[in-house]
Amino acid sequence: MEKILVLDFGGQYNQLIARRVRENHVYSEVRPYTTPLEEIKAAGYKGIILTGGPHSVYKETAYTYDKALFQLGIPVLGICYGAQLMTHLLGGQVEPGAREYGEVAVSLDTQSQLFSGLDYGTICWMSHTDYISRIPAGFKITAKSETCPVAAMENPTARLYAVQFHPEVMHTRKGMEMLHTFVYDICGCKGDWVMSSFVDRTIYQLKEKIGDRKVLCALSGGVDSSVAAILLHKAVGDNLTCIFVDHGLLRKDEGKQVEELFRGQYDINLVSVDASARFFEKLKGVTEPEKKRNILGEEFIRVFEAEAKKIGKVDFLVQGTIYPDVIESGVGDAALIKSHHNVGGLPDHVDFEEIVEPLRDLFKDEVRQAGLELKMPESMVYRQPFPGPGLGVRIIGEVTPEKVALLQEADAIFRQEVAKAGLDREISQYFAVLTDMRSVGVMGDGRTYDYTVALRAVTTSDFMTADWAKIPHEVLGNASNRIVNEVEHVNRVVYDITQKPPATIEWE
């Protein structure tokens, strides 16, 4: 299988670069800058992309690499820090100054192969405080902006290309065309990464690996663990047992829906556990978001362990880990934004021989494509993304059963109104948050002092950056009216209009 390496130097957009390559039907993988050169040589990559990063290449603490990378004969594209590192290692010069951030007008040399077929002028996303002041020998400048004298450069003979801007973000208007040109015209890829082949190949590999041995799956009811479970069920049938732990923090009626789908439609061996009282007890008095995540992750493992011991020895434990979970939890040197419950929290005392993570190499939308290939119901495939800790991180402050019940109702109303307006597929993610703010209101002739519910909805193609969704005022008004009238102890509804960044999509 042809593949592109994304060599990570600590940039926040590392997985987005890999995702953009895959959108061109070419498999890509992210590996840290500490990956040995010999491993890269042996892996058979068709091309290499160097990511951005937070450092300055001329400092002693900068992340660097063996300059022999540029002598392998494999096409290399340096992006932002990657472009500066290429310059620095090959004898050019990088200096502080020429700061640019945001959308910038860039002039392109359309004779460059990387920019072939594009217009002379375009808009690109810049994010740098250093700049390339002298290019290495053998290179030529192929783009510039008013502030940045080297917005791009190339040495086509050596198959080396560099851009100071970020072609992977949607704000670079012709970025996808540039990456397509690099992957196909420069690297010579043909595009063999398709989901149907992934599903068939994965089921075959699981059958070969597992045979007639026993498999245990932690089922959350979300898209990731559901697709993983059905892949395993296709491969091993009744040798799969799923454990579904209801921590009491699910969306309205979600536990019932999971049981109906997996027991009723798929006839999968399912053990369902209501552990809500245990979780609420552990969360008493806890308000700090990361502490809540850690408690929920730890308790999930303990409950799962207890149920697994009743089953006895199994050979394999299945997790619905996906690629962003792996990368955001510390691959390379990207900053850790939030902990992920699927990574680094494996049960210590369950009697199994090996972990199976069939979706570990997939991004979220690729998981959905796999679900459609498996003929899963669209209601399950397109279920709204939901954090592992559930409503525990959509309730600001202490989590109580009363607050959960309140938020379940408010969230269900919001989702109903969005779906009724036909916007459920247009909006990437939408949900309600129960804030810890209470304010004065008036209902009837009486004064109230109740909670504020925040509504959050975003549009995004990659979940790395996101814009707030421009939901029609009528839809927001209907949702607000229903929430304050139908949900007790809520007297105010607000709408979050913050982009990511600077905000995250979830509130905690």
Side-chain angles (χ1 to χ4, degrees), residues 217-218 228 317-321 341-343 345-347 355-359:
C217 177
L317 176 67
V318 180
Q319 286 195 310
T321 309
H341 64 287
N342 279 338
V343 179
L346 302 178
I355 298 289
V356 176
E357 296 173 310
L359 308 178

Side-chain angles (χ1 to χ4, degrees), residues 451-471:
Y451 287 106
T452 298
V453 164
L455 305 180
R456 177 70 159 151
V458 299
T459 56
T460 177
S461 60
D462 48 55
F463 287 90
M464 293 300 294
T465 60
D467 194 7
W468 58 277
K470 311 304 189 287
I471 296 177

Side-chain angles (χ1 to χ4, degrees), residues 305-436:
E305 283 177 344
E307 294 302 317
K309 285 178 181 177
K310 297 176 186 177
I311 296 170
K313 185 180 186 304
V314 295
D315 301 287
F316 298 92
L317 176 67
V318 180
Q319 286 195 310
T321 309
I322 65 173
Y323 208 34
D325 296 338
V326 176
I327 297 172
E328 286 191 11
S329 294
V331 171
D333 202 53
L336 175 63
I337 306 302
K338 296 174 183 172
S339 61
H340 281 267
H341 64 287
N342 279 338
V343 179
L346 302 178
D348 295 323
H349 308 297
V350 175
D351 190 7
F352 65 93
E353 294 179 5
E354 191 175 341
I355 298 289
V356 176
E357 296 173 310
L359 308 178
R360 188 180 179 87
D361 294 332
L362 299 189
F363 289 96
K364 175 69 77 174
D365 58 330
E366 292 174 322
V367 174
R368 295 190 193 282
Q369 292 172 32
L372 294 174
E373 288 290 332
L374 289 164
K375 304 294 190 291
M376 288 174 60
E378 289 195 1
S379 59
M380 171 62 75
V381 171
Y382 290 105
R383 175 171 281 172
Q384 280 290 296
F386 195 56
L391 299 180
V393 291
R394 291 181 180 174
I395 294 172
I396 311 303
E398 183 182 12
V399 177
T400 66
E402 294 75 21
K403 287 182 179 180
V404 170
L406 186 159
L407 182 56
Q408 284 176 330
E409 294 299 327
D411 180 72
I413 289 170
F414 184 39
R415 287 186 289 120
Q416 288 165 9
E417 291 300 322
V418 169
K420 190 189 301 183
L423 300 173
D424 48 326
R425 293 288 181 85
E426 294 181 22
I427 302 173
S428 306
Q429 189 170 357
Y430 51 95
F431 54 90
V433 174
L434 179 61
T435 75
D436 59 351

